[in-house]
Amino acid sequence: MPNRTSAPTGEEGLRHGPEKPTSVRELPRYLAELVGSFFRHLFYILSLVYEARKSILFVLTVLCLLDGVLPVAGAYLTAELLNRLAEAVMGKAVEFTPILMLIVAYFSYQFVQRINARISTMVTRIAGELVTNHIRLKILNKAKEADIGSFDRPAFYEKLENANREAGVRPVSILNATFSVISACISMVSFIVILTALHPAAPLLILAMALPGAIINYIYRRKTFEYMRRRSKDRRQMDYYAAIVVNKDLAKEVRLLDLSDTFIGKYRGVFRRYYAGIRRLVLHEGFWHIAVSFATLGANALLFLYIAFRVYRGELQLGDYSLYTGALNSILSYVNTLITTTATIYEGTLFIDNMMLFMQEPTRIVPRLRPAIQPKRGRHVIEFRDVSFRYPGTDRDVLSHINLRLESGKTTVLVGLNGAGKTTLIKLLTRLYDPSEGEILLDGVNLRDYDVRALYDLFGIIFQDFGRYAVRVDESIYFGDIHRTPDAEEVRRAAAESGAADFIDRLPDGYGTPLMRHFEENGVELSIGQWQKLSVARAFYKDSDILILDEPTASLDPLAEQEVFSQFARLASGKIAVFVSHRLSGAVSAGQIVVLEYGRVVECGRHAELMHLHGRYWELFTTQAERYRKGSDEEPPPAFQPE
Ligand code: ADP
């Protein structure tokens, strides 16, 4: 992949094209960089086509060479034919055979041209599909490897979204434009060579005619482009407002609160602002183009006059008139093609820049050692040694100086108010992020030295914001451990242990029922509590060494919560078990309770010890117990019995 020479500006933003020249002396530098940037982008696109399917690049090149040469051959044949016919009119021609041969040749040319055009259409359509698919897969594979931390950075996420959104249309239009530019260049150069025979200065005159149009086009493409970039917030806002009105999940609330018109109104407001600028640009560009066409047409008329005059004087034949005027017309139309297609490429370069930057995003969560260490299975000890952490792009420690020891056979309950850093601690423990300071050791070895995939395999985890997938019920449980051959018996066991079996058995197609109604008519929508049970089943399906439950019981009713607790306790025996909970009743019999406050461990010990301290835990526990007593008749949820 070629390197970008121009560094990104601002907060990882895109700077498009070389820096504008500030003086005339900088013009050559600017033009050289412009051409360089154009070819770099072109090369990148061609390399993507090559990666997608080598043969396609070859076929497209041949077709586009033919496409470039054929019009010139056609012009020559027409001219020759006219010359022969003119000779016949004047009684100079003696034989009809050359005329016949020329007609045969002319129609053969027409035939080849049509076939070429047809094949070109077919190949570019197929190439478009293949290249789009290739780019999509490239993006998905890159996203698969990107650090979770990268997703937190708006600049990265925007690049990913842009690349993904535009991958469907941009590559095809850039590809088509690229090949039509190449063939237009070939034809144009050939016609210019033909015109040189008419007068050595003719090509210069043509260039002079084409230049103003090209400059106007370039200036306005750039203006439009910059306008679009300045207004990218507007466009994202429009997308956002439109998405709210059509969003399935928000439909209930939007309907009852009657928010549709409010958001449609916001959408229209932003559109009006955005549209005013675009209209101004389009009108100004149109005006300049019309002015330039007058001048071009005038110069063109002069050249026509010159050719006609030489024919009149007998210096040129009738066929030459057709050849030269045809060449002139063709050149002007190729210039137009070049102007419009380079505009497509120019606009497409934003996509390419974005894609290049996205593909260059480094992955940092990789094994530090090569070959990486494979974790052993069975019993483990995990140690946090003076671990501090701040999220990428922020300047506040979310965790500070954490020292902690977790071992198999002992359940740890993490306790703390919202935002204390409990989930973050879990993310470090599972190496979704690396600590900013300090180290985390698994069996005495830094987490960073392990093979990441094998390390992830040790964990059975349910996050607070667990995934809901539109797949079959049994698949959604298999997802707990996709490296193992699907085992229907195990799926049923996991479902039974998580309490999900009760509702699954009542579903119309049992374990074969599709979840959600995205794709299937018979898909089912589950309640939040049911989804949660499925996610618990997913964790129970996996035979993991380290079980982590990050407040998975928040949406469960007390009865279901009790079931999950006791099953969790049974499964957790002999394993490292970490349990994040708001409800402190679960902590009473845990092997170790860790109280987090503002990212620090403020207390650590067993229930009795911490109650005895009369500190933070005691305060939280008594407040909660009090609330239960004062509240309804509802009993506090049963204590969590890990061992
Ligand atoms: P808890 O699980 O204890 O409720 P979290 O670990 O989720 O707390 O969050 C701890 C702090 O980290 C919060 O102040 C939260 O705003 C911040 N935080 C969480 N995730 C991110 C993130 N991806 N980027 C930046 N800050 C984050």
Side-chain angles (χ1 to χ4, degrees):
M1 190 186 345
N3 283 326
R4 286 180 90 247
T5 47
S6 49
T9 54
E11 214 260 311
E12 300 183 51
L14 292 176
R15 188 183 72 215
H16 194 64
E19 229 162 82
K20 271 188 199 163
T22 46
S23 67
V24 179
R25 263 190 298 147
E26 284 195 12
L27 205 61
R29 189 253 328 146
Y30 177 67
L31 288 177
E33 283 184 19
L34 206 63
V35 172
S37 138
F38 179 78
F39 279 103
R40 213 170 37 250
H41 289 112
L42 202 66
F43 178 76
Y44 187 65
I45 273 288
L46 294 182
S47 69
L48 287 177
V49 181
Y50 183 78
E51 281 170 16
R53 186 69 57 91
K54 293 183 186 63
S55 54
I56 290 265
L57 189 61
F58 174 74
V59 176
L60 278 178
T61 311
V62 171
L63 289 172
C64 113
L65 289 180
L66 266 177
D67 202 33
V69 174
L70 279 173
V72 185
Y76 259 118
L77 286 172
T78 316
E80 269 306 302
L81 193 60
L82 268 176
N83 283 344
R84 294 289 88 76
L85 288 176
E87 281 170 5
V89 170
M90 288 184 282
K92 285 191 205 159
V94 265
E95 280 187 67
F96 185 67
T97 324
I99 294 176
L100 183 69
M101 295 306 290
L102 278 169
I103 290 179
V104 170
Y106 182 75
F107 277 92
S108 310
Y109 142 77
Q110 286 237 325
F111 179 71
V112 174
Q113 197 184 34
R114 277 176 204 194
I115 297 269
N116 190 46
R118 218 0 72 218
I119 297 180
S120 279
T121 315
M122 281 176 344
V123 176
T124 35
R125 271 174 66 186
I126 291 173
E129 295 285 342
L130 286 175
V131 172
T132 302
N133 178 54
H134 174 70
I135 293 180
R136 270 254 153 82
L137 288 175
K138 231 175 141 77
I139 294 171
L140 295 183
N141 280 315
K142 179 69 189 173
K144 176 182 91 178
E145 284 168 8
D147 292 340
I148 298 294
S150 299
F151 284 82
D152 290 333
R153 293 200 335 271
F156 171 81
Y157 199 61
E158 201 179 322
K159 271 185 278 185
L160 166 62
E161 275 192 326
N162 283 343
N164 197 35
R165 189 180 50 240
E166 303 216 350
V169 280
R170 281 287 176 195
V172 187
S173 65
I174 303 174
L175 187 69
N176 287 342
T178 306
F179 281 96
S180 55
V181 162
I182 298 174
S183 55
C185 280
I186 297 173
S187 310
M188 204 170 76
V189 170
S190 321
F191 279 121
I192 287 180
V193 171
I194 292 175
L195 276 186
T196 318
L198 173 71
H199 194 288
L204 279 181
L205 189 66
I206 289 164
L207 276 185
M209 284 188 326
L211 214 56
I215 291 175
I216 290 170
N217 190 63
Y218 174 71
I219 291 173
Y220 276 93
R221 283 290 70 70
R222 201 180 163 111
K223 278 186 187 227
T224 310
F225 181 82
E226 271 162 13
Y227 180 78
M228 289 294 195
R229 201 171 46 162
R230 257 200 326 277
R231 291 279 175 205
S232 85
K233 184 174 149 214
D234 286 354
R235 284 183 298 145
R236 277 190 291 136
Q237 269 180 329
M238 285 197 285
D239 285 350
Y240 175 73
Y241 297 140
I244 287 181
V245 180
V246 299
N247 186 304
K248 178 166 170 279
D249 294 336
L250 295 177
K252 295 191 293 295
E253 191 165 303
V254 167
R255 183 63 50 91
L256 288 179
L257 297 179
D258 198 15
L259 293 178
S260 302
D261 283 338
T262 309
F263 283 112
I264 291 174
K266 280 178 186 285
Y267 175 93
R268 291 160 85 118
V270 182
F271 176 76
R272 264 197 295 275
R273 215 168 45 212
Y274 164 79
Y275 168 72
I278 276 290
R279 191 185 51 185
R280 200 169 40 246
L281 277 173
V282 171
L283 291 181
H284 285 186
E285 183 179 359
F287 167 78
W288 278 110
H289 273 304
I290 290 172
V292 165
S293 335
F294 271 121
T296 316
L297 215 62
N300 204 9
L302 282 180
L303 267 175
F304 263 60
L305 208 64
Y306 172 70
I307 300 167
F309 185 64
R310 287 189 59 182
V311 174
Y312 171 74
R313 293 246 305 249
E315 289 166 22
L316 294 176
Q317 286 183 286
L318 194 59
D320 299 335
Y321 177 83
S322 132
L323 180 66
Y324 293 131
T325 52
L328 257 179
N329 282 336
S330 305
I331 289 172
L332 289 177
S333 91
Y334 286 125
V335 167
N336 260 333
T337 312
L338 282 183
I339 287 175
T340 45
T341 44
T342 44
T344 311
I345 297 182
Y346 183 74
E347 279 169 6
T349 51
L350 173 67
F351 166 75
I352 299 172
D353 272 341
N354 181 70
M355 173 93 191
M356 283 172 162
L357 280 181
F358 169 69
M359 294 306 294
Q360 283 164 12
E361 175 79 13
T363 305
R364 295 195 174 84
I365 302 286
V366 286
R368 205 168 48 173
L369 287 185
R370 300 231 171 228
I373 297 179
Q374 296 294 324
K376 64 174 179 51
R377 301 298 304 252
R379 298 181 75 86
H380 301 280
V381 176
I382 296 176
E383 285 171 278
F384 278 61
R385 290 202 183 150
D386 205 28
V387 169
S388 297
F389 178 73
R390 61 184 55 181
Y391 279 98
T394 67
D395 52 10
R396 186 176 61 93
D397 274 354
V398 170
L399 293 175
S400 359
H401 306 288
I402 304 280
N403 286 292
L404 208 59
R405 187 182 160 90
L406 313 169
E407 51 195 75
S408 298
K410 184 164 156 189
T411 302
T412 301
V413 176
L414 287 180
V415 171
L417 298 179
N418 282 334
K422 303 180 296 291
T423 302
T424 307
L425 195 142
I426 300 294
K427 291 186 202 163
L428 292 186
L429 169 66
T430 49
R431 208 186 170 204
L432 290 174
Y433 292 81
D434 281 328
S436 314
E437 281 168 41
E439 51 182 12
I440 303 172
L441 307 179
L442 169 70
D443 304 326
V445 176
N446 196 312
L447 282 190
R448 296 179 194 235
D449 296 334
Y450 285 107
D451 179 289
V452 181
R453 197 57 269 160
L455 181 71
Y456 288 172
D457 255 359
L458 298 182
F459 301 108
I461 186 157
I462 312 167
F463 278 113
Q464 233 168 328
D465 48 354
F466 51 83
R468 303 174 196 183
Y469 306 101
V471 294
R472 278 201 328 262
V473 171
D474 54 354
E475 266 183 289
S476 111
I477 300 177
Y478 291 145
F479 282 180
D481 188 359
I482 46 125
H483 299 299
R484 150 164 143 202
T485 324
D487 181 339
E489 269 313 300
E490 281 294 298
V491 165
R492 281 168 199 275
R493 176 196 59 78
E497 285 171 345
S498 68
D502 292 346
F503 78 84
I504 297 175
D505 287 336
R506 281 199 304 275
L507 290 175
D509 297 303
Y511 287 81
T513 311
L515 292 169
M516 309 220 225
R517 307 200 57 193
H518 284 358
F519 310 114
E520 311 294 342
E521 273 304 317
N522 62 340
V524 293
E525 294 287 350
L526 301 181
S527 75
I528 296 186
Q530 289 171 327
W531 277 114
Q532 203 145 30
K533 284 182 183 172
L534 265 190
S535 79
V536 174
R538 197 149 55 225
F540 285 179
Y541 176 72
K542 185 173 184 177
D543 179 23
S544 50
D545 291 356
I546 304 163
L547 258 178
I548 301 169
L549 279 81
D550 183 2
E551 293 210 66
T553 53
S555 308
L556 295 186
D557 50 67
L559 222 59
E561 190 180 14
Q562 181 187 7
E563 276 171 38
V564 171
F565 279 166
S566 50
Q567 288 302 342
F568 178 65
R570 201 177 60 72
L571 279 169
S573 72
K575 300 182 178 190
I576 291 186
V578 184
F579 188 59
V580 179
S581 180
H582 262 108
R583 302 189 195 170
L584 298 184
S585 52
V588 175
S589 51
Q592 145 175 275
I593 300 162
V594 177
V595 185
L596 277 179
E597 199 169 56
Y598 302 118
R600 291 177 181 272
V601 176
V602 289
E603 286 165 23
C604 182
R606 295 187 68 111
H607 175 74
E609 294 161 10
L610 297 188
M611 288 304 278
H612 189 69
L613 271 183
H614 267 239
R616 199 76 185 105
Y617 178 77
W618 173 85
E619 204 179 309
L620 288 169
F621 192 86
T622 43
T623 316
Q624 221 171 63
E626 190 78 2
R627 205 180 319 139
Y628 273 115
R629 254 200 310 278
K630 281 196 189 147
S632 61
D633 297 337
E634 190 193 331
E635 282 292 304
F640 170 47
Q641 304 288 342
E643 277 111 356

